[in-house]
Amino acid sequence: AQSVTQLDSQVPVFEEAPVELRCNYSSSVSVYLFWYVQYPNQGLQLLLKYLSGSTLVESINGFEAEFNKSQTSFHLRKPSVHISDTAEYFCAVSEAGGFKTIFGAGTRLFVKA
Amino acid sequence: EAGVVQSPRYKIIEKKQPVAFWCNPISGHNTLYWYLQNLGQGPELLIRYENEEAVDDSQLPKDRFSAERLKGVDSTLKIQPAELGDSAVYLCASSFGGGNYNEQFFGPGTRLTVL
Protein backbone atom coordinates (compact mmCIF):
# COMPACT_ATOMS: atom_id res chain seq x y z
CA ALA A 1 0.00 0.00 0.00
CA GLN A 2 1.13 3.50 -0.72
CA SER A 3 2.15 6.03 1.90
CA VAL A 4 3.34 9.62 1.91
CA THR A 5 5.56 11.54 4.29
CA GLN A 6 5.85 15.30 4.58
CA LEU A 7 9.05 15.88 6.41
CA ASP A 8 8.31 19.34 7.79
CA SER A 9 5.21 20.20 9.78
CA GLN A 10 5.93 23.94 9.68
CA VAL A 11 8.09 26.09 7.44
CA PRO A 12 8.54 29.76 8.34
CA VAL A 13 10.10 31.88 5.62
CA PHE A 14 10.53 35.57 4.85
CA GLU A 15 8.68 37.19 1.97
CA GLU A 16 10.51 36.99 -1.38
CA ALA A 17 12.72 34.14 -0.12
CA PRO A 18 12.72 30.74 -1.86
CA VAL A 19 10.98 27.78 -0.26
CA GLU A 20 10.93 24.02 -0.63
CA LEU A 21 8.30 21.79 0.95
CA ARG A 22 9.41 18.19 1.02
CA CYS A 23 7.34 15.15 0.18
CA ASN A 24 8.41 11.52 -0.05
CA TYR A 25 6.20 8.60 -0.95
CA SER A 26 6.31 4.84 -0.83
CA SER A 27 4.74 2.57 -3.41
CA SER A 28 5.57 -0.60 -5.30
CA VAL A 29 3.77 0.51 -8.47
CA SER A 30 3.48 3.59 -10.64
CA VAL A 31 1.97 6.58 -8.90
CA TYR A 32 0.14 9.82 -9.48
CA LEU A 33 1.27 12.69 -7.26
CA PHE A 34 -0.55 15.81 -6.12
CA TRP A 35 -0.06 18.95 -4.10
CA TYR A 36 -3.15 20.50 -2.56
CA VAL A 37 -3.25 23.84 -0.75
CA GLN A 38 -5.62 24.88 2.01
CA TYR A 39 -5.95 28.59 2.75
CA PRO A 40 -7.44 29.61 6.11
CA ASN A 41 -11.16 28.78 6.38
CA GLN A 42 -11.25 27.26 2.91
CA GLY A 43 -11.34 23.75 1.49
CA LEU A 44 -8.34 22.01 -0.02
CA GLN A 45 -7.74 22.91 -3.65
CA LEU A 46 -5.46 21.32 -6.19
CA LEU A 47 -2.22 23.20 -6.75
CA LEU A 48 -0.54 20.88 -9.25
CA LYS A 49 -0.30 17.22 -10.16
CA TYR A 50 1.95 14.72 -11.90
CA LEU A 51 0.31 11.95 -13.88
CA SER A 52 2.89 11.11 -16.54
CA GLY A 53 5.28 12.72 -18.99
CA SER A 54 7.44 15.65 -17.96
CA THR A 55 8.65 15.20 -14.41
CA LEU A 56 8.52 18.95 -13.74
CA VAL A 57 5.04 20.34 -13.24
CA GLU A 58 4.06 23.93 -12.58
CA SER A 59 1.14 25.81 -11.08
CA ILE A 60 -0.32 29.08 -12.28
CA ASN A 61 0.96 30.97 -9.21
CA GLY A 62 4.64 30.15 -9.54
CA PHE A 63 4.96 26.87 -7.65
CA GLU A 64 6.64 23.87 -9.24
CA ALA A 65 7.26 20.28 -8.23
CA GLU A 66 9.53 17.64 -9.67
CA PHE A 67 8.79 13.93 -9.68
CA ASN A 68 11.97 12.06 -8.78
CA LYS A 69 11.37 8.34 -9.13
CA SER A 70 14.75 7.25 -7.82
CA GLN A 71 14.36 9.38 -4.70
CA THR A 72 10.62 8.67 -4.46
CA SER A 73 10.08 12.37 -3.92
CA PHE A 74 7.80 15.13 -5.15
CA HIS A 75 9.12 18.29 -3.49
CA LEU A 76 7.29 21.58 -3.97
CA ARG A 77 9.31 24.73 -4.66
CA LYS A 78 8.79 28.41 -5.25
CA PRO A 79 11.67 30.81 -5.96
CA SER A 80 10.06 33.80 -4.24
CA VAL A 81 7.13 33.54 -1.86
CA HIS A 82 4.46 36.12 -1.06
CA ILE A 83 2.52 36.76 2.11
CA SER A 84 -0.52 35.35 0.33
CA ASP A 85 1.18 31.95 0.03
CA THR A 86 0.67 31.42 3.75
CA ALA A 87 -1.38 28.23 3.90
CA GLU A 88 -1.20 24.52 4.61
CA TYR A 89 0.13 22.34 1.81
CA PHE A 90 -0.74 18.66 1.47
CA CYS A 91 1.12 16.17 -0.67
CA ALA A 92 -0.95 13.20 -1.89
CA VAL A 93 -0.26 9.98 -3.78
CA SER A 94 -2.45 7.56 -5.72
CA GLU A 95 -1.38 4.22 -7.12
CA ALA A 96 -1.98 3.74 -10.83
CA GLY A 97 -4.83 1.30 -11.27
CA GLY A 98 -6.00 1.82 -7.70
CA PHE A 99 -8.81 3.87 -6.24
CA LYS A 100 -7.46 5.61 -3.16
CA THR A 101 -5.60 8.84 -2.67
CA ILE A 102 -3.43 9.03 0.44
CA PHE A 103 -2.67 12.43 1.91
CA GLY A 104 0.34 13.49 3.93
CA ALA A 105 0.03 15.21 7.28
CA GLY A 106 0.53 18.63 5.75
CA THR A 107 3.15 21.39 5.95
CA ARG A 108 2.15 24.77 7.26
CA LEU A 109 3.93 27.49 5.29
CA PHE A 110 4.12 30.78 7.14
CA VAL A 111 5.43 33.73 5.14
CA LYS A 112 6.69 36.62 7.23
CA ALA A 113 7.04 40.24 6.10
CA GLU B 1 -19.92 27.48 -10.59
CA ALA B 2 -20.78 26.72 -6.98
CA GLY B 3 -18.26 24.66 -5.07
CA VAL B 4 -18.85 21.80 -2.67
CA VAL B 5 -21.24 22.91 0.04
CA GLN B 6 -21.16 21.52 3.56
CA SER B 7 -23.29 22.24 6.57
CA PRO B 8 -23.08 22.96 9.35
CA ARG B 9 -19.63 24.55 9.44
CA TYR B 10 -19.32 23.99 13.17
CA LYS B 11 -21.06 21.64 15.57
CA ILE B 12 -20.66 21.20 19.31
CA ILE B 13 -22.40 18.28 20.97
CA GLU B 14 -22.15 16.24 24.13
CA LYS B 15 -20.87 12.69 23.97
CA LYS B 16 -23.44 10.00 23.23
CA GLN B 17 -25.53 12.46 21.22
CA PRO B 18 -26.19 11.90 17.50
CA VAL B 19 -24.90 14.27 14.84
CA ALA B 20 -25.32 14.58 11.08
CA PHE B 21 -23.35 16.37 8.41
CA TRP B 22 -24.63 17.29 4.98
CA CYS B 23 -22.76 17.70 1.70
CA ASN B 24 -23.85 18.91 -1.72
CA PRO B 25 -21.19 18.18 -4.36
CA ILE B 26 -20.45 20.14 -7.49
CA SER B 27 -23.16 19.64 -10.08
CA GLY B 28 -22.35 16.76 -12.39
CA HIS B 29 -19.75 15.18 -10.13
CA ASN B 30 -20.67 11.54 -9.76
CA THR B 31 -17.98 10.66 -7.22
CA LEU B 32 -18.33 11.84 -3.64
CA TYR B 33 -15.92 11.35 -0.76
CA TRP B 34 -16.16 11.80 2.98
CA TYR B 35 -12.86 12.34 4.78
CA LEU B 36 -11.90 12.68 8.42
CA GLN B 37 -9.17 15.17 9.29
CA ASN B 38 -7.70 15.10 12.76
CA LEU B 39 -5.68 18.02 14.06
CA GLY B 40 -2.24 18.07 12.49
CA GLN B 41 -3.07 15.28 10.06
CA GLY B 42 -4.08 14.99 6.45
CA PRO B 43 -7.51 13.86 5.28
CA GLU B 44 -8.29 10.15 5.72
CA LEU B 45 -10.96 8.56 3.58
CA LEU B 46 -14.08 7.32 5.34
CA ILE B 47 -16.26 6.43 2.37
CA ARG B 48 -16.40 6.94 -1.38
CA TYR B 49 -19.54 6.92 -3.53
CA GLU B 50 -19.89 6.37 -7.24
CA ASN B 51 -23.35 7.84 -7.88
CA GLU B 52 -25.50 6.32 -5.13
CA GLU B 53 -23.31 3.26 -4.54
CA ALA B 54 -20.78 3.15 -1.71
CA VAL B 55 -17.79 1.57 -3.46
CA ASP B 56 -15.28 1.93 -0.64
CA ASP B 57 -16.41 2.09 2.98
CA SER B 58 -13.65 -0.03 4.43
CA GLN B 59 -12.48 2.77 6.76
CA LEU B 60 -15.94 3.73 8.01
CA PRO B 61 -16.51 2.64 11.66
CA LYS B 62 -19.82 1.00 10.95
CA ASP B 63 -20.80 0.50 14.56
CA ARG B 64 -21.47 4.21 14.96
CA PHE B 65 -21.03 5.86 11.57
CA SER B 66 -23.42 5.67 8.65
CA ALA B 67 -23.71 7.50 5.37
CA GLU B 68 -26.13 7.74 2.51
CA ARG B 69 -26.28 9.32 -0.89
CA LEU B 70 -29.82 8.99 -2.04
CA LYS B 71 -30.38 9.81 -5.72
CA GLY B 72 -26.64 10.08 -6.20
CA VAL B 73 -26.41 13.79 -5.49
CA ASP B 74 -26.12 15.14 -1.95
CA SER B 75 -24.98 13.03 0.95
CA THR B 76 -25.35 12.78 4.71
CA LEU B 77 -22.84 11.39 7.18
CA LYS B 78 -24.14 10.45 10.61
CA ILE B 79 -22.53 9.52 13.90
CA GLN B 80 -24.62 7.87 16.59
CA PRO B 81 -23.60 7.95 19.36
CA ALA B 82 -20.72 10.41 19.20
CA GLU B 83 -17.61 9.80 21.29
CA LEU B 84 -14.96 12.23 22.51
CA GLY B 85 -12.51 10.87 19.95
CA ASP B 86 -14.79 11.85 17.09
CA SER B 87 -13.83 15.50 17.52
CA ALA B 88 -12.28 16.40 14.15
CA VAL B 89 -13.02 18.11 10.86
CA TYR B 90 -15.22 16.15 8.46
CA LEU B 91 -14.49 16.96 4.84
CA CYS B 92 -16.59 16.27 1.80
CA ALA B 93 -15.09 16.21 -1.68
CA SER B 94 -16.34 15.43 -5.14
CA SER B 95 -14.84 14.64 -8.52
CA PHE B 96 -15.99 14.01 -12.05
CA GLY B 97 -15.16 10.35 -12.42
CA GLY B 98 -13.81 7.96 -9.83
CA GLY B 99 -10.29 7.55 -11.11
CA ASN B 100 -7.69 8.38 -8.50
CA TYR B 101 -5.93 10.58 -11.04
CA ASN B 102 -8.84 13.03 -11.01
CA GLU B 103 -8.79 16.32 -9.15
CA GLN B 104 -10.90 16.28 -6.02
CA PHE B 105 -12.83 19.41 -5.07
CA PHE B 106 -13.19 19.89 -1.33
CA GLY B 107 -15.77 21.66 0.76
CA PRO B 108 -14.75 23.83 3.74
CA GLY B 109 -15.48 21.04 6.21
CA THR B 110 -17.53 20.66 9.36
CA ARG B 111 -15.62 21.05 12.60
CA LEU B 112 -17.11 18.73 15.21
CA THR B 113 -16.41 19.16 18.91
CA VAL B 114 -17.64 16.45 21.24
CA LEU B 115 -17.73 17.43 24.91
Side-chain angles (χ1 to χ4, degrees), chain B residues 8-105:
Chain B
R9 290 293 309 276
Y10 305 90
K11 189 73 177 179
I12 300 173
I13 61 171
E14 301 213 337
K15 63 181 180 182
K16 301 185 181 179
Q17 295 300 304
V19 64
F21 314 124
W22 177 79
C23 172
N24 192 31
I26 291 173
S27 177
H29 282 192
N30 59 320
T31 305
L32 184 146
Y33 313 77
W34 281 104
Y35 287 92
L36 166 70
Q37 186 177 20
N38 286 304
L39 188 65
Q41 300 297 317
E44 299 172 34
L45 182 69
L46 289 172
I47 189 168
R48 178 170 67 95
Y49 282 94
E50 297 289 343
N51 300 304
E52 65 274 10
E53 182 182 358
V55 295
D56 184 357
D57 63 355
S58 57
Q59 301 304 309
L60 190 71
K62 297 180 183 65
D63 57 335
R64 297 184 300 108
F65 286 65
S66 64
E68 60 183 14
R69 192 185 183 197
L70 301 176
K71 301 181 181 179
V73 182
D74 56 346
S75 176
T76 301
L77 178 68
K78 298 178 181 177
I79 309 175
Q80 183 170 9
E83 297 180 351
L84 295 176
D86 296 331
S87 295
V89 176
Y90 292 82
L91 301 172
C92 180
S94 68
S95 66
F96 182 69
N100 62 358
Y101 46 82
N102 288 319
E103 176 180 359
Q104 295 183 35
F105 294 80

Side-chain angles (χ1 to χ4, degrees), chain A residues 32-44:
Chain A
Y32 308 124
L33 294 158
F34 309 82
W35 277 99
Y36 282 82
V37 59
Q38 185 175 28
Y39 298 104
N41 296 315
Q42 295 184 29
L44 279 76

Side-chain angles (χ1 to χ4, degrees), chain A residues 64-83:
Chain A
E64 65 178 30
E66 185 161 19
F67 169 53
N68 187 319
K69 187 175 182 179
S70 62
Q71 300 290 322
T72 60
S73 67
F74 191 56
H75 301 331
L76 182 70
R77 302 184 183 93
K78 189 171 185 180
S80 176
V81 294
H82 303 290
I83 296 287

Side-chain angles (χ1 to χ4, degrees), chain A residues 89-109:
Chain A
Y89 292 79
F90 294 92
C91 182
V93 61
S94 302
E95 290 186 330
F99 296 95
K100 279 188 177 157
T101 300
I102 303 298
F103 289 82
T107 297
R108 187 170 297 278
L109 175 64

